[in-house]
Amino acid sequence: MLEKNSKIYVAGHRGLVGSAIWNNLLQRGYTNLVGRTHQELDLTDQLAVRRFFDEERPDAVVLAAAFVGGIMANSLYRADFIMMNMKIQCNVISEAYAHGVKKLLFLGSTCIYPKNAPQPMKEDCLLTSPLEYTNEEYAIAKIAGLKMCESYNLQYGTNYIAVMPTNLYGPNDNFHLENSHVMPAMMRKVYLAKLIHDQAWDKIAADLNCRPVEGIDGSADKTDIMKVLAKYGIYDNKVVLWGTGRPLREFLWSEDMADASVHVLLNVDFKDVIGIEKYSSVHYGASTDGAVDRNHSAGRGGAIPQLGEIRNCHINVGTGKELTIRQLSELVVSTVGFEGEVVFDDSKPDGTMRKLIDVQKLHALGWTHKVEIEDGVRLLYDWYRQSLA
């Protein structure tokens, strides 16, 4: 358990999950928090990350920073998705180890699982068959991240835990149409289509001033606004969404994810995840030959043979519940009060058809979700409108 005065670095503290984790830690009395914006610290810059760790010397690290986006962004920026995320992970994890960080929590994604994985997806279905092509690069980067944590633990006796959240949504979500995830993108599209029909150009201007689309803000000519919004399937009382609407998705409120993350950070150790009680004595205590210390396996050149094969040490974080994209659209439409038409363009890709995760391990470690999807969509819509004020 980390002491209340422990210095905790939250990488990505302004993002969807990072900001929620930051607030959750504060609410629990952990006030010695460190955060840096991207402008203050570029996590892809190895020397800058090293200088940061030299100066701050955190006791614990939450790695919630990532280069993210939806199906469109994943398709367009494949090289960026693998390279940027690999750089971030390698720099933060390696410097955390070099600076003696006691506990590290790595946040991944359930896109790590194979496209045709058995449902619901257990942790041990990782690397059993091919990934979904449209987000393969991001998935590979996240698999590398969880394997870094696992491998550092096995070789060096560290206490790095990887959690794999399902689709997240909540306060500070990304509503930019070019690279946002399915729910915020859908919600903004429906909202703007309603405003166009209502001729509420003052509200449309406020929306675009807050989040311009391809450089078009609220001061632009109405014709230019309509043209750029149409590019993203937004019309007068009509919204066009990608795919068939049939894929099933699981969604988790970001503040629930934060609570799960902090629960794991404070209460779960690597030995708890792998379920091997002898791990702590092998790595941190005396072995049968009486000559084991914290760094012994580094000297031996690898992990510990008597533990056998250790893999899939990450933890799924979700609700264990799902709905179709079409059902989600109906929920968003009802919440926004949209009375227009929603059309699904089946010439566009669906992505993975089903991505339900098994959360038995998480439940066994003492945590379950609180916010159901119906309440969450309403909460997100309330937050979005307040963000435009």
Side-chain angles (χ1 to χ4, degrees):
M1 187 73 168
L2 292 168
E3 300 295 330
K4 288 292 175 66
N5 63 350
S6 298
K7 181 181 283 191
I8 304 174
Y9 168 46
V10 182
H13 75 294
R14 294 282 184 86
L16 173 63
V17 186
S19 61
I21 289 174
W22 183 283
N23 292 331
N24 190 287
L25 285 165
L26 288 176
Q27 290 165 12
R28 293 176 184 244
Y30 291 84
T31 58
N32 191 9
L33 306 180
V34 179
R36 294 288 188 276
T37 65
H38 177 69
Q39 289 71 30
E40 293 169 333
L41 175 61
D42 180 359
L43 293 177
T44 67
D45 183 335
Q46 183 178 15
L47 292 179
V49 174
R50 182 170 300 164
R51 285 194 297 269
F52 167 79
F53 275 87
D54 285 342
E55 294 167 3
E56 293 294 342
R57 298 279 174 176
D59 299 302
V61 170
V62 176
L63 181 43
F67 186 76
V68 299
I71 189 170
M72 182 186 294
N74 273 275
S75 298
L76 292 174
Y77 308 116
R78 301 181 74 90
D80 290 345
F81 270 88
I82 191 165
M83 185 61 75
M84 300 286 281
N85 285 297
M86 288 293 291
K87 283 182 176 180
I88 290 169
Q89 295 162 192
C90 288
N91 291 341
V92 174
I93 293 174
S94 64
E95 292 304 326
Y97 173 70
H99 290 81
V101 166
K102 299 174 185 175
K103 190 77 174 283
L104 182 142
L105 184 73
F106 171 74
L107 277 69
S109 166
T110 52
C111 71
I112 62 169
Y113 292 118
K115 179 177 182 176
N116 298 315
Q119 304 287 322
M121 299 179 292
K122 294 180 178 290
E123 286 86 354
D124 60 8
C125 73
L126 180 68
L127 297 176
T128 55
S129 61
L131 298 164
E132 160 60 37
Y133 179 75
T134 56
N135 63 6
E136 192 174 43
E137 280 71 20
Y138 183 74
I140 288 171
K142 289 302 176 180
I143 291 170
L146 74 86
K147 283 294 182 181
M148 286 181 214
C149 293
E150 183 180 287
S151 301
Y152 268 82
N153 292 341
L154 293 173
Q155 183 170 343
Y156 297 122
T158 50
N159 197 10
Y160 300 167
I161 310 294
V163 290
M164 299 295 125
T166 189
N167 300 288
L168 300 172
Y169 68 105
N172 297 311
D173 215 332
N174 175 13
F175 284 83
H176 291 277
L177 297 177
E178 297 98 319
N179 59 6
S180 60
H181 284 129
V182 59
M183 190 188 299
M186 181 188 294
M187 185 173 286
R188 189 180 182 195
K189 289 179 179 182
V190 170
Y191 175 68
L192 285 170
K194 180 179 185 298
L195 293 183
I196 294 171
H197 183 69
D198 294 343
Q199 292 294 294
W201 287 99
D202 56 334
K203 293 183 178 179
I204 294 172
D207 181 283
L208 293 175
N209 284 333
C210 186
R211 299 174 180 88
V213 180
E214 295 188 6
I216 300 294
D217 61 18
S219 67
D221 181 81
K222 290 182 182 180
T223 302
D224 291 334
I225 290 175
M226 291 295 291
K227 183 178 180 180
V228 75
L229 292 183
K231 183 177 178 180
Y232 293 93
I234 304 166
Y235 305 93
D236 181 349
N237 226 29
K238 177 182 174 181
V239 171
V240 178
L241 302 176
W242 278 32
T244 64
R246 292 196 299 268
L248 287 155
R249 289 293 181 269
E250 173 184 13
F251 294 94
L252 180 67
W253 182 243
S254 61
E255 292 174 339
D256 269 356
M257 175 58 197
D259 194 62
S261 297
V262 176
H263 173 81
V264 170
L265 179 70
L266 300 180
N267 301 297
V268 178
D269 294 323
F270 184 60
K271 63 180 175 59
D272 303 318
V273 177
I274 63 176
I276 297 178
E277 291 301 324
K278 66 181 180 180
Y279 174 81
S280 57
S281 63
V282 170
H283 249 309
Y284 298 108
S287 68
T288 53
D289 62 11
V292 177
D293 63 23
R294 184 179 185 276
N295 293 307
H296 78 289
S297 77
R300 292 172 55 257
I304 305 168
Q306 58 262 50
L307 291 181
E309 291 189 357
I310 303 297
R311 54 167 61 97
N312 304 325
C313 304
H314 55 287
I315 305 167
N316 287 339
V317 182
T319 65
K321 301 178 181 181
E322 61 188 344
L323 76 168
T324 66
I325 295 299
R326 186 177 294 276
Q327 288 172 323
L328 175 65
S329 72
E330 292 167 355
L331 190 54
V332 169
V333 162
S334 174
T335 301
V336 174
F338 181 61
E339 297 179 351
E341 182 183 13
V342 175
V343 177
F344 284 88
D345 180 359
D346 60 10
S347 70
K348 297 294 194 294
D350 272 325
T352 305
M353 291 305 293
R354 195 180 183 204
K355 287 179 61 178
L356 182 65
I357 57 172
D358 185 298
V359 289
Q360 291 184 73
K361 183 187 287 188
L362 178 66
H363 290 174
L365 292 168
W367 190 90
T368 56
H369 78 282
K370 301 175 182 64
V371 178
E372 300 296 349
I373 186 69
E374 296 80 8
D375 295 327
V377 168
R378 176 181 51 79
L379 290 168
L380 182 64
Y381 184 53
D382 289 344
W383 181 89
Y384 180 68
R385 285 185 298 170
Q386 289 169 10
S387 75
L388 301 174

